[in-house]
Amino acid sequence: MPVPRTAAVSAVVAAALGAGLLTGTSSAAAGPAAPVTARIHDIQGTTRTSPLAGQQVTEVPGVVTGVRTYGSSKGFWFQDTAPDDNPATSEGIFVFTGSAPTVAVGDAVKVAGTVTEYVPGGLSSGNQSLTQISKPTVTVVSSGNAVPAPVVITARSVPGRYTPAGDPAAGNSVNGLTLQPRKYATDYYESLEGMNVRIGTSRVVGRTDQYNELWATVKPNENKTKRGGTLYSSYDAQNTGRLQIQSLIPTAQQPFPKANVGDTLTGTTEGPLDFNQFGGYTIAARTLGTVKDNGLKRESTRKQRTGELAVATYNVENLHPTDPQTKFDALADGIVTHLASPDIVALEEIQDNSGAKNDGTVDASDTIKKFTDAIAAKGGPAYQWRSISPENDKDGGEPGGNIRQVFLFNPARVSFTDRPGGDYKTAVGVTGAKGHPALTLSPGRIDPANPAWVDSRKPLAGEFVFKGRTVFVIANHFASKGGDESLLSQHQPVPRSSEDKRLLQAQAVNGFVKQLLAVDKHARVLAIGDINDFDFSGTTKALENGGALRTAFRSLPKKERYSYVYQGNTQVLDQILTSPAIRNFAYDSVHINAEFADQTSDHDPQIIRFRP
């Protein structure tokens, strides 16, 4: 069963309520009011937050539909058997007990307690809230009752529009808006919050992860990729049919199924509709369907031809020497078997020799040697490498890990032009007579003192020669999306604060590429790596500014443009961008990780082949 990654901490909510931070609150100074006799639809109301938030309720009737006995959010769901006729009001609700509940599915109960609005991830996350009853007193009236019939969620019942725009007078929050469940998908799901719901056979669009959860879609044709995912292709293509699936069934009784993207969750999946930080609307399954393996295979790209230079980028997800040999072997197999041993590979997330131990170590030679040895053992080239160690704990990532970009290159096919002097604080420049640009340092870091790179990885520039032709490669790992509000933020449109930093980073890289092109407009330049942003994003547009670069993803059919899967959305994070002189090329996003339950990294590698 899944382990919830956030706790329903009612004290946090109570503080917010007392401060008047949530809709429907009153000052704590007014003193406790008399308990209100209410039904669940009275508590849930017609908006995302309860009209009774902060108040005591009593004699709330219903039948238990699900019990969660694990994790830090223990409690149960119950549902009224006498619903009202308003489609905007939910008839189910979660009761936060804090310890293992003593009720069972089918118990008819009456509940008293405090109505609270729990915000998964905390108030600063911007998330919508979960209406719940906290500090409950529960009376079991009878047992063995039938569970209320589920609401069946189908492609037809879920609207095509994702969410309404927020109220400008309330900071663009949707919390106070009356739900329109026939118009917006999120309003529809919110109108079912806490209720017993069911989905039938559905396509898996997010693999089973380490928390025992997966994503499925009730819309079989919604932005479907060739391999079975659901493509996130614009800020208005949130994909309305996605739901997270967890299980209330003990793993000893029924292990959670392992599923890849494109598999099928067959049969019936049924249980209360929960809302949490990492998945939003989630079926806490009391009955879980069976996964049908549809045979998704890892891709392998073709070998580069004699006159082609093959350049790849691969985020190896915090690789360090104490990782198991199996991870090194699997990553090496990705390089040799699935990428066909590229001539140049830019790696992201290579950690130092002590890994996440925060002991001042910055050297990563042991990590790289262990990896290159694993590649050679798989029959790959005897790669050489170049990198620059960061200043300790100044480049972000896991504390103590000191992640950095590293160039691997096959000396039998390509040479590296070494120009000494590059270190973590010295900026690489561009020199050379007209028509013959060169780097002042190779390898060198681009503009490391620029505030855009504070607590972030600085781009690594290198000068390579292939068959007498110079190629400049810039290895990037832009700032993460951490801290951004989710697609289910209460603020709509969703603020994307992390993009501000990536825009500045993109402008810095774009400016450096323009320096090379100013010396030679035909310079062959690649900007590659984990850009941490979409091919349609402002970050990508800033990299492309003035025609200096162009994302190679545009050479692929639209539904093949992805390198990552997040919350059931198949999307782009890793990119290769080319200067104008690199016109004719073969590009491939090699899908070996992001769609699979047994992944070595959460990113798919990218590769480009061209004749310089």
Side-chain angles (χ1 to χ4, degrees), residues 510-541:
N510 175 269
F512 186 79
V513 173
K514 286 177 178 175
Q515 291 180 49
L516 289 165
L517 298 179
V519 178
D520 179 10
K521 67 180 180 180
H522 300 297
R524 291 166 287 274
V525 186
L526 295 172
I528 69 179
D530 181 358
I531 303 302
N532 260 321
D533 224 334
F534 314 120
D535 52 319
F536 54 81
S537 67
T539 302
T540 298
K541 291 174 183 176

Side-chain angles (χ1 to χ4, degrees), residues 362-365 387-391 395 404 423-425 445:
V362 294
D363 179 58
S365 56
S387 188
I388 293 176
S389 294
E391 185 179 5
D395 278 19
R404 82 288 309 274
D423 58 25
Y424 69 79
K425 63 183 176 182
R445 300 177 105 191

Side-chain angles (χ1 to χ4, degrees), residues 539-575:
T539 302
T540 298
K541 291 174 183 176
L543 281 166
E544 295 178 319
N545 180 263
L549 294 166
R550 181 176 174 83
T551 180
F553 261 113
R554 295 210 183 93
S555 68
L556 297 179
K558 186 175 181 180
K559 291 190 176 181
E560 294 179 21
R561 299 176 191 174
Y562 63 92
S563 69
Y564 197 79
V565 180
Y566 182 67
Q567 295 187 344
N569 273 328
T570 295
Q571 57 196 245
V572 166
L573 288 187
D574 310 83
Q575 298 196 50

